[in-house]
Every structure is written in C-alpha cells, then in structure tokens.
Amino acid sequence: MRNCWEVKKCGRQPGGGRTAELGVCPAATERRLDGANHGQNGGRSCWTVAGTMCGGKVQGTYAGKLASCLACDFYKAVCFEEGAHCESPRGLLNRLGL
Ligand code: SF4
C-alpha cells in the first residue's frame, strides 16, 4: 500500500528532496498513526494530521483542512482501497489523543 508521499511525490518525507523548504511533513513522522489503513506513520491517514504540507504550504488542523482533504484524490483512493476496513476519522483522532 502506498503512502501519500509516494503517490503525491511531494518530497517532504524524511530523506525527501524538498525538506529544505518547509521541513519534514508531520504526516510522514506521525508514529501514533503507524499502520493506520496499512500506511507508514500517517502516510495513509494524513487527513487527520495537523500541519501537513500538501500543495507546498503548511495546512491547518483536521477541522480546518477537512473540506480540501475530502476532495483529495489520495484520500478517495485510500477509502476505495481499504473499503469497509478504512479506519474512521474518529478512530484516527483517538490515536492522536484528540
Ligand atoms: S500529507 Fe501531503 S505534503 Fe505531507 S507527506 Fe503527504 S503528500 Fe506530502
């Protein structure tokens, strides 16, 4: 199963080519989400991670970015691939202590 940085080719994961701009994206280092939807760290649950860097700028909280994430191709692909086993937003937020 591919993580967001492998699909989006953002280069913002540890060791990626674009970490000098804004640093490493928190989705790629969020260990509490490791394994969620078969992803590495938050790589397949990035919509619940605050401060991700999609589109080349730092995004806000889960609530603030929800609308754009719901329209994201990667989000839709994860939901499709995981089907009924896709981890609910509530479950993901619980992992984050939110
Ligand atoms: S959430 Fe966006 S910016 Fe962050 S690693 Fe995934 S694709 Fe890249």
Side-chain angles (χ1 to χ4, degrees):
M1 292 292 188
R2 293 191 300 166
N3 297 289
C4 57
W5 53 88
E6 296 165 306
V7 173
K8 296 287 193 177
K9 311 279 188 206
C10 63
R12 301 184 194 283
Q13 75 281 17
R18 298 179 72 191
T19 56
E21 293 172 14
L22 298 170
V24 172
C25 178
T29 57
E30 182 47 84
R31 292 183 178 197
R32 291 173 295 183
L33 293 173
D34 191 43
N37 296 324
H38 303 100
Q40 179 185 340
N41 294 331
R44 287 175 66 82
S45 51
C46 45
W47 49 94
T48 59
V49 179
T52 51
M53 299 168 178
C54 292
K57 59 183 178 185
V58 178
Q59 310 286 316
T61 62
Y62 169 68
K65 64 183 202 160
L66 182 59
S68 57
C69 289
L70 291 178
C72 172
D73 287 347
F74 180 73
Y75 169 78
K76 293 176 186 174
V78 172
C79 291
F80 178 76
E81 289 165 2
E82 301 297 325
H85 301 293
C86 196
E87 195 158 333
S88 71
R90 186 64 262 164
L92 297 170
L93 291 170
N94 283 347
R95 287 187 187 230
L96 293 170
L98 299 172

